[in-house]
Amino acid sequence: MIVERQKQLVLSPVGISLFFNSLESDEKDLRREINQHSNDVELPSELAAQAGELAQRAAEKLHTGSVSERRRLSAELNGLYALYENHLEASADMHLLVATDTALGKKAAETIENFLREDIGIKNIDTFVPSKLSTGSVANFSYGIKELLNHFEKIIPPYSAQEYKIIFNLTGGFKSLQGYLNIIGMFYADRLVYIFERSDELLNIPRLPLKIDEAKLNPYANELARLAAGGVYLRSELHITGALLDVDGNKDATLSDWGQLLWNRLKDPLLAEKLLELPYIEYENSFKKDWKKFKDKSLRIKLQETVCQASVMLEEAKGDITALKRSGGMLYDNYEEKRLPSGLPIGHFRIDDGNRVTCTYQGNKLSLRHFGSHDYTERAEGVR
């Protein structure tokens, strides 16, 4: 009897080893140029042309090379071939390449993706490039890591729910990114694999039984939610432990990489359980009734994340409602044909494509009235 193997989501960070390993011994000047410009978003024109030619050379070597030659050329492929016991082929597995937001990083990932897609026949493959992710500066690296964490939170849980095994192939990529992914993988991956130095043997990195103590973070849910929505606050205004924050020279605090990771891991039950107390936001009884009525956890979570964004925008604008009107995501507007008996306009903004919140704004308070589908909220307000 043939036992079907469990499907896998395999994540592989991509570096530029493919280019270095495709250089000839007499191309030392080009090696030095690549090293010097490894974090550039755009390359000097001459180097860009050389990099294009080098990518073509690497692609040809991958196309014509043996398995052992391919493994020597690319650290990422070395890990993948080891993971699949040298039988890398089309399957139901999903592959995600993570590239740095640099010219060479994106070119290397493009070359490897094309090889896996065209030569190996793997169709379930995608490349994700977190904005600003590079080792050029701490600020850019941190920004990129946060975007990567949000992407992981968006895609990995649904694959896990479909019983995919989550594999972090950490053989390739830059060492700084490998270090972060090693820790991140403790929260997201079922298995972390690595090839030690230049051997062919796959090393399994044990996943530690880490568990977030939600009870200790629950009291700070309001602060964490606002920080995750992009809020910037004086360190003295916050009660959160310092490890979850990045604090600049002006004592302004934002959510750190690890703060973002922990929030992503614990936010769903917190946001689905009860309404947050937020600056500039109040909830009318009609809204609280809708909250009790709509049991869809994903809708509740999306609702609270959107309201957190509205709260942060109003904080930054010191209560100026036009801040919400300028937001292309919320599409805040007032109903032209409907007002309260007092003459106060009834506004509305978007949670997602199908759901809305109705509200009024007076005295620096956004008072939420109803939420639900577009049809429901309009009926509730008597618009139709």
Side-chain angles (χ1 to χ4, degrees), residues 2 16 36 55 69 71 89 116 142 150 158 173 175 203 222 238 244-245 273-274 284 298 301 345 369 377 379 382:
I2 298 176
I16 55 176
Q36 182 180 347
E69 288 169 334
R71 292 184 67 167
E89 57 190 9
L116 291 171
S142 179
N150 287 332
K175 285 184 171 56
L203 174 68
N222 291 359
L238 302 171
L244 304 183
L245 300 172
E273 180 182 349
K274 64 179 181 180
E284 297 190 17
S298 62
I301 292 164
R369 293 169 54 84
T377 51
R379 286 198 307 270

Side-chain angles (χ1 to χ4, degrees), residues 104 134 141 144 189 277 324:
L104 290 168
S134 78
F141 185 79
E277 296 180 10
L324 300 190

Side-chain angles (χ1 to χ4, degrees), residues 296-319:
D296 184 335
K297 290 184 177 180
S298 62
L299 177 58
R300 284 185 165 196
I301 292 164
K302 183 62 178 174
L303 165 72
Q304 295 236 64
E305 288 178 331
T306 304
V307 174
C308 280
Q309 291 173 2
S311 174
V312 168
M313 288 179 187
L314 289 171
E315 280 188 287
E316 292 176 347
K318 295 182 171 31

Side-chain angles (χ1 to χ4, degrees), residues 247-252:
V247 183
D248 65 16
N250 296 320
K251 304 298 182 182
D252 287 333

Side-chain angles (χ1 to χ4, degrees), residues 349-366:
F349 60 90
R350 185 174 70 168
I351 303 173
D352 55 30
D353 288 343
N355 295 286
R356 302 287 186 274
V357 171
T358 61
C359 56
T360 57
Y361 190 74
Q362 188 176 34
N364 277 357
K365 283 289 184 180
L366 187 67

Side-chain angles (χ1 to χ4, degrees), residues 7-21:
K7 291 183 290 187
Q8 301 177 139
L9 168 62
V10 183
L11 180 140
S12 302
V14 178
I16 55 176
S17 66
L18 177 64
F19 295 154
F20 285 126
N21 295 333

Side-chain angles (χ1 to χ4, degrees), residues 71 74-84 169 171-172 193-195 202:
R71 292 184 67 167
S74 164
E76 300 77 24
L77 293 179
N78 192 20
L80 287 176
Y81 271 111
L83 177 64
Y84 288 93
N169 165 36
T171 305
V193 297
Y194 182 81
I195 298 234
L202 197 67

